[in-house]
Amino acid sequence: MVDKKITTRIDSLREEINSHNYSYYVLDNPDVPDSEYDRLLNELSNIEQQYPELITPDSPTQRVGATPLDSFSEVQHEVLMLSLGNAFSEQDMSDFDRRVREAVEKENIEYAAEPKLDGLAISLLYEKGLLVRAATRGDGRTGEDVTLNIRTIDAIPLKLRGKDYPKLIEVRGEVVMPKSGFDKLNRQQLEKGEKPFVNPRNAAAGSLRQLDPGVTATRPLSFYSYGIGLIEGMTLPNKHSEMMEKLKSWGMRINPESQVVKGQKGCNAYYEKLAEKRNDLPDEIDGIVYKVDDIKFQNILGFVSRAPRWAIARKFPAQEEMTTLLDIDIQVGRTGALTPVARLEPVFVGGVTVSNATLHNQDEIDRLDVRAGDTVIVRRAGDVIPQIVSVVKSKRKGKPRRFYLPNTCPVCGSETARFEDEAVTFCTGGLYCEAQRKEAIKHFASRRAMNVDGLGDKLVEQLVDEGLIHTIADLYNLDLEQLIKLERSGEKSAKNLLASLEKSKKTTLSRFVFSLGIHSIGETTAQTLANHFLSLENIMNADEEKLLAVPDVGPIVAENLMTFFKQTHNIEVVEQLISVGIHWPKIVKKSQDELPLAGKIFVVTGTLESMGRNEAKAALQNLGAKVSGSVSKKTDYVVVGENPGSKATKAEGLGISILDEKEFIKMLSQ
Ligand code: I6G
C-alpha cells in the first residue's frame, strides 16, 4: 500500500501544475516563474518514477513518452467539420448580414467576432473531462488520429477543470505556431543545416504530422478553441459567446481578441481594428470569423452545402502570392553594399502591386536557390518590404543557371569583397564608386577627417548632381564662378568654402588616411597606421605580414587596406590629392618615453558612445599610455563611460582622476 501522504502530494502537485497552466495559457497571466513550474513538474516526475503504479494518463508528466507510430489511424467525425464561406469585401459582408437579418427577421444582429487563425483545425474529444482523442479535420468527414502529438501541446489540457463539464464534449479549434516560435524554429533549422519552414502554418502542419511525438514535443505549438462539435450531458447555453466562456472555465484557451459586435457596422469596425493590429499579434491570422451569437438564430439559419449560413470568414488581402521572377538586378548602396533585387512580374499582394523584392545577400539566394525565370512566392506583410518566401521548384522550366553576386562592382568596376562570417558583399571602390560617391565626399569633408568647413551634405549632393565633382580630388579644382552659379550659393559662402578647402590641405597623415573612407579604418586605426608606418608610401606598400604586425590590425583591416590600395583608380585619386597640395608634417618616430602620455596608467570602464573599448585602448597606447584592467594606487586616470562597474567607485575611493568621455576625447585630441 502506498502511503496516503504520497497520493495526496501527487494530487496536490498535479492540481497546482494544472492551475499554473490555466493562468498561463487561458488567463494569459502567468502566476509563477518558469523555474518554479519546472521545480513542481520535476518533483511530480520524481515521485511518479518511484511509484509508477500511481501514474495516470492525465498527469502533466505524461505529455510525451509514447513510442513513435508507424502511421496515423483514421477518425470519423460524427458531427462534420465544416468549412466557412468567405467574404472578400465590405459588399460581401453586407450581403451576408442582409441574408441573416432576412432569415431571422431581426435588425442589428449580434455577432461573435474573432481572428481567423492561420493554423490547423483540430477536434479534441473529452470523455468525463479527460482528453481521449484528437483528430485533424481531414476532408471534414474523416480525419487522422493525432492524439499522441496533440498531448504534447501544453496549451491543451489533458483534463478539463472544474466539475460542471458535460460527460462528453468535442472541442474544436486551431493549432497554431506563434510567430516568435516559428522564427526561433527556423533559426534552429538553419543552424542544423536543414531547410527552414515556409510559414507558421506549414511548420504547425509539419509538426503535427510527425510519427514521433517526441519531435512534436520540441515544436512551439499552441492552441485556441473556437467552438464545439459533439456534446452529451448538457443543455447548450443560448449564446455562442456564453459557450466560449464555459469552455474557458474548463481550461480551454480562447482567443483574447474575441468580442461580440453589433450589426454590419460593428463587424466593419472590428475588421479595421484587427487589420491594423494584424502584424503585432502573436499569431498569423488571415481574416476574421463572424458567427451569429444567438444559437436560436443559428438553428433557423442552418447550413448550405458544407458551410453554416450563420458564420462567415472575412478574409484580409492575401499576404502571399505566386509570381514569376523575371531577373535579378544588383543595387549598390551608399555604403557600398551590393544588394540583389528580384524583378518580378507585377503581382497584387498585401493590398499593393509589387514588382520588386529584396533578396538581401548571397546567402539568401543560396538558401532559396532562386534563379531567373523561377515561379516564386512573394510575401508582403504590413509595411515590411516584400520578400521572396520560396521557389515553386515544380514549376521550374529547363535548367536556369544559379545566380552569384559579381566579383566586380556593376557601377564602377572595382573589385567586390566579402569577409568570412559576414553576409554582405561590398564594392571596394569607395571614393571612386558613383554609387558611394556622395557618402565618400561627405565623409572626406567631415570635421574629424579633412574638416572642410562650409561643405554641408546638401552642397555635396548638389555638386555631384550637377556633375561638378566626380572624385574627392575634384573638390580642390572648384572655382568661384562654378560655386556662385549653384542654387542658393552666395559669393560670400563660396569664397569661404574655397578658403576652407585651401586650409584643409594642411593636415596630418592619420586624418588623411581616415578621410579616404576605407572600410573598417576608423580614426584610431588610421592613427595607429600613421604612427607605425610613418609615411603614406609605407602604408600603401605594406603587405599582409607587415600590416598584421601592427597592434590592433587584424586580417579584415589588413585585407581592406590591401584591396583599396591595389585599385589603380584609388591610387590615382590619392596622387591627385597630393598633387593639388595636400600635405602633412613628417612624422618622426618618437621613442616611447617621448610620447605625450608616456608612463601614465589608464583604466577604461563602462561603455563609450564614440568608440569601442579596444579602440580607446589603441588610442591611449598610441600616445604612450599603458592600459590596465584593474584599478590600483598606481592608476593615473580612470575613463568612465555609461554604466560603469565597481572600478569607478574604487577609483573615487582612491582619489584617482576620473575622466568622462568628453574629457577623455579632449585629452586624446590634445
Ligand atoms: O475554420 C474555422 C476557423 C475558425 C471555423 C470556425 C472558426 O471559428 C473561429 N468556425 C466554424 C464554425 C467553422 N470553421 C466551421
Side-chain angles (χ1 to χ4, degrees), residues 256-284:
E257 301 293 339
S258 309
Q259 196 182 321
V260 175
V261 297
K262 238 183 179 179
Q264 204 210 330
K265 240 184 168 173
C267 291
N268 288 344
Y270 183 84
Y271 174 89
E272 294 302 333
K273 185 180 84 176
L274 263 284
E276 202 159 290
K277 267 186 161 182
R278 183 181 185 183
N279 289 307
D280 303 323
L281 293 175
D283 306 289
E284 287 279 356

Side-chain angles (χ1 to χ4, degrees), residues 27 82 84 96 112 186 251 288 331 391 459 542 567 592 654 661:
L27 305 180
L82 302 170
L84 290 175
F96 166 74
N186 264 0
I288 309 290
Q331 273 176 0
V391 173
L459 186 53
Q567 321 248 353
Q592 195 65 16
L654 291 173
E661 184 162 354

